[in-house]
Amino acid sequence: MAAAASAQSQAAGLLSIGQVLARLQDDFSDLTPSKLRFLEEQGLVTPERTKSGYRKFSQQHIERLRLILTLQRDHYLPLKVIAEVLDEMDEGRDPIIPGASPRSASMILAPQRVLSSDELRRATGASARFLGEAIAAGLLPAAEVFPHDAVAQLSALLKLAERGITPRHLRSLRVSAEREAELIARAVSTRGVKSGTPLGTEDSLELAGHLDTVRSGVLRRCFASS
C-alpha cells in the first residue's frame, strides 16, 4: 500500500508529452512530439516510462529540454556539441559554450541546474524543518525545484545557524536585497531610456556586483571599529 501511494505521488508530479509542449511551445514554437522523441533517441533527454510505455517528464527534464532548445535556436549548436555540454553538466563541471562569454554561459546554464527539495537537503544535510524556515523567511524560493546555487545558500544558512544566526534573524537581509533590486531596476531603466538602448540582465548583475563590493567594505569598517 505504501509503495503504491509513493508511486502515485511521484507520477502526479510528472507530465505527458502534451503537457510538456504546452509549457514550452510559447518559447519554442517549432517544438513537436516528433522532435521530442528525436531528442530522446539522440540520448539528450531520458523521460521516465509508465508500465504502459508512455513517456513522462519531470521538471528537471523540462529544464534540460529548455536548455537544449535554447542552445539550438540562439547559439546554433549542433546536437553533438549540445550533448558534450550536457555531459559536462551531468558530471558536475562547468561546460564551455562555444561563442558565449563565461558570464553569458553562466546565465544560460544557471536556470537549468535544478534540484528537488529532497536533493537539496541531501546535498546540504539540512532538515526539512530548517529548509522550511529558510523558505518562510524569504531566503529561498517557495518552489517545487531549486536553482543549483541554492546548495551554497542553504549551506551558508546552516553555518550561520551554528553561530546562532537563524533564518528568522535574516528577514531584514531579504528586505534589504529586495530594496536593492528595486534600486538596480530603476537605474537600469533610466540608463536604458537615456541611451535609447534596452539594458538587460548583464547590466543588472554588474550593478549588483558593485553593490556587493560597497556592502563588503561597509561591513569590514564596522568590524574594524568594534
Side-chain angles (χ1 to χ4, degrees):
M1 291 286 291
S6 176
Q8 289 177 353
S9 175
Q10 291 177 354
L14 298 177
L15 304 176
S16 67
I17 284 183
Q19 290 171 314
V20 171
L21 292 174
R23 290 200 178 192
L24 294 177
Q25 277 186 326
D26 283 348
D27 295 323
F28 306 98
S29 58
D30 62 341
L31 184 61
T32 62
S34 61
K35 184 168 185 177
L36 278 178
R37 286 191 286 268
F38 175 73
L39 294 175
E40 179 186 1
E41 291 168 1
Q42 298 302 305
L44 299 178
V45 63
T46 308
E48 298 183 29
R49 294 273 186 165
T50 66
K51 291 183 179 180
S52 304
Y54 291 106
R55 295 171 178 83
K56 289 293 183 177
F57 297 82
S58 67
Q59 182 63 35
Q60 286 90 336
H61 291 134
I62 292 175
E63 296 303 330
R64 191 178 181 91
L65 284 167
R66 188 181 297 279
L67 172 59
I68 293 167
L69 297 169
T70 298
L71 292 176
Q72 272 191 312
R73 183 193 64 192
D74 298 347
H75 298 272
Y76 311 105
L77 297 186
L79 292 182
K80 180 180 179 180
V81 176
I82 293 175
E84 293 171 355
V85 170
L86 295 174
D87 287 342
E88 290 282 308
M89 290 180 59
D90 292 342
E91 293 174 7
R93 295 196 291 267
D94 292 325
I96 296 174
I97 298 178
S101 67
R103 176 178 286 186
S104 296
S106 177
M107 292 170 59
I108 295 165
L109 297 172
Q112 320 305 327
R113 298 185 174 185
V114 294
L115 301 167
S116 68
S117 59
D118 287 342
E119 289 171 331
L120 178 59
R121 290 195 293 109
R122 282 197 298 270
T124 59
S127 66
R129 178 177 179 178
F130 189 85
L131 175 58
E133 291 174 355
I135 293 172
L139 304 172
L140 288 173
E144 295 180 4
V145 293
F146 298 85
H148 197 268
D149 63 2
V151 172
Q153 293 172 341
L154 188 55
S155 296
L157 288 170
L158 286 166
K159 291 293 185 182
L160 289 168
E162 291 175 0
R163 300 297 185 94
I165 304 175
T166 69
R168 177 173 55 84
H169 296 127
L170 297 174
R171 290 179 185 272
S172 60
L173 184 149
R174 186 255 304 166
V175 173
S176 175
E178 290 174 349
R179 288 174 178 168
E180 288 182 3
E182 292 176 0
L183 181 65
I184 290 172
R186 286 198 299 270
V188 168
S189 176
T190 300
R191 285 175 58 194
V193 170
K194 289 182 177 178
S195 66
T197 303
L199 301 180
T201 305
E202 287 199 20
D203 299 279
S204 298
L205 291 175
E206 179 183 353
L207 293 179
H210 295 324
L211 281 176
D212 282 338
T213 300
V214 173
R215 186 189 302 109
S216 297
V218 172
L219 284 172
R220 283 194 296 270
R221 287 195 298 275
C222 290
F223 297 145
S225 61
S226 61

